[in-house]
Amino acid sequence: MQSIQVKCRKARLVPLLACSCLLLSGCEATLFAGLNATDQHHGITEQHGVVFDTEHALALDVYAPAQANHAPVVVFFYGGDWARGERAWYRFVGSALAAEGVVVVIPDYRKVPKVALDGFMSDAASAVAWAHAHADEFGGAANDIFVMGHSAGGQIAALLATDPEWLAASGMRPRDLAGFIGLAGCYDFVPVPDDDEDMIAAFGDTPEAQRRGQPVSYVQGNEPPMLLLQGVDDREVVPSNAISLTRAMDARHEDVTLKLYPDVGHEAVLLALSRPMRGDAPTLPDLLTFIHAHPAAR
């Protein structure tokens, strides 16, 4: 059932402004390199560049606790307007969770304009199927896999958790997932603004076509538990996305928790997983609480 919580934090304006400027200027690589330099490495094993799709030359990185044994697994999909991003930028996500006993898989996926919805969603489903098949090799549990995403990656992960079409190709169902974790994800966006070129390229130029990629359209009562983390001050993916998905889940009496963070914007909800920004939002403890409260798929 629905649980809505609002948490407060003390604003740290200088770091957030610096991060926002870097992101808006397109210097994500510079920002993420700085955050990744502060990673915790002790007690964590890493494997980089593991190919999971030879046809499209797609690879993933795995971060695992050194002594992992039947640990929960999180497959994380990064954002970037479905058009940019690299898995290496998000090392801080993998190390933050691995340091707390969670195996993390971070895959790349094809992006617009080279592909549209069918392309990146099939890539995402393949990555989850790979994690399911290989979880035990990294000390993970195949029946304890969560999908998680930020922004555009939140849309990807949410669609895997709501529309059975995508996982069906590998013999899986949304309910085979232990849970979905959304960080400022795009869940309810139809109609797409005419001037949003990336979203038009991803989902098409008509509401009918766009609705196929909208997670809230598919909630039928067969979804895994959901945790939706959302900054109240998010101006890029407004809070109504998370609120709408919460209401759709609640209408079906499904397990959903929405946490609204005051004074938190679009990037901060994710960057709070990094060591320097951890005080800006309770993202990490909220993730861990949810993961440990939902130990296996039903």
Side-chain angles (χ1 to χ4, degrees):
M1 292 294 291
Q2 175 183 357
S3 173
I4 300 179
Q5 302 179 31
V6 179
K7 293 196 173 184
C8 297
R9 68 172 181 86
K10 182 178 179 181
R12 298 198 307 167
L13 294 178
V14 174
L16 287 181
L17 288 174
C19 290
S20 296
C21 290
L22 281 167
L23 288 171
L24 291 173
S25 66
C27 297
E28 293 99 332
T30 302
L31 167 63
F32 293 135
L35 295 179
N36 290 334
T38 70
D39 275 356
Q40 175 177 334
H41 303 287
H42 178 71
I44 296 173
T45 65
E46 302 179 15
Q47 293 198 33
H48 299 276
V50 180
V51 176
F52 71 94
D53 182 339
T54 56
E55 179 182 356
H56 301 110
L58 292 173
L60 53 80
D61 297 336
V62 181
Y63 302 83
Q67 304 301 322
N69 182 23
H70 211 65
V73 178
V74 167
V75 183
F76 173 72
F77 299 97
Y78 54 79
D81 296 321
W82 302 272
R84 67 181 188 277
E86 300 176 16
R87 67 183 187 277
W89 294 356
Y90 298 90
R91 180 175 184 169
F92 69 93
V93 176
S95 64
L97 290 173
E100 299 292 342
V102 179
V103 176
V104 182
V105 176
I106 305 180
D108 274 326
Y109 53 90
R110 290 173 292 164
K111 301 171 182 69
V112 301
K114 291 185 177 180
V115 299
L117 175 70
D118 288 277
F120 60 73
M121 286 305 304
S122 65
D123 297 343
S126 294
V128 173
W130 184 95
H132 184 265
H134 296 271
D136 61 341
E137 299 173 17
F138 302 94
N143 70 332
D144 202 10
I145 294 177
F146 297 78
V147 291
M148 180 172 87
H150 173 248
S151 193
Q155 177 273 330
I156 291 172
L159 201 59
L160 291 174
T162 54
D163 181 1
E165 172 185 353
W166 306 107
L167 290 177
S170 56
M172 296 180 67
R173 307 166 300 165
R175 207 58 177 257
D176 292 331
L177 301 170
F180 159 65
I181 303 166
L183 284 64
C186 303
Y187 315 124
D188 187 358
F189 50 77
V190 176
V192 172
D194 293 338
D195 60 351
D196 194 324
E197 296 181 0
D198 289 331
M199 289 195 77
I200 294 294
F203 303 111
D205 56 7
T206 67
E208 292 74 21
Q210 295 160 6
R211 199 164 286 112
R212 184 165 171 254
Q214 180 175 258
V216 74
S217 301
Y218 293 95
V219 176
Q220 297 293 326
N222 296 306
E223 292 71 37
M226 294 188 180
L227 172 66
L228 308 180
L229 306 183
Q230 177 71 44
V232 174
D233 287 356
D234 195 331
R235 299 294 180 264
E236 184 169 344
V237 178
V238 294
S240 59
N241 281 267
I243 293 170
S244 178
L245 183 55
T246 299
R247 288 173 175 167
M249 288 284 288
D250 194 47
R252 298 285 182 173
H253 307 288
E254 288 291 285
D255 184 344
V256 58
T257 298
L258 168 64
K259 297 198 175 185
L260 299 171
Y261 298 153
D263 305 317
V264 172
H266 186 65
E267 293 87 10
V269 70
L270 172 68
L271 299 184
L273 290 174
S274 69
R275 290 169 72 88
M277 311 295 290
R278 204 157 285 174
D280 291 324
T283 304
L284 182 59
D286 285 343
L287 290 179
L288 294 172
T289 297
F290 176 78
I291 289 170
H292 294 312
H294 298 86
R298 287 173 284 173

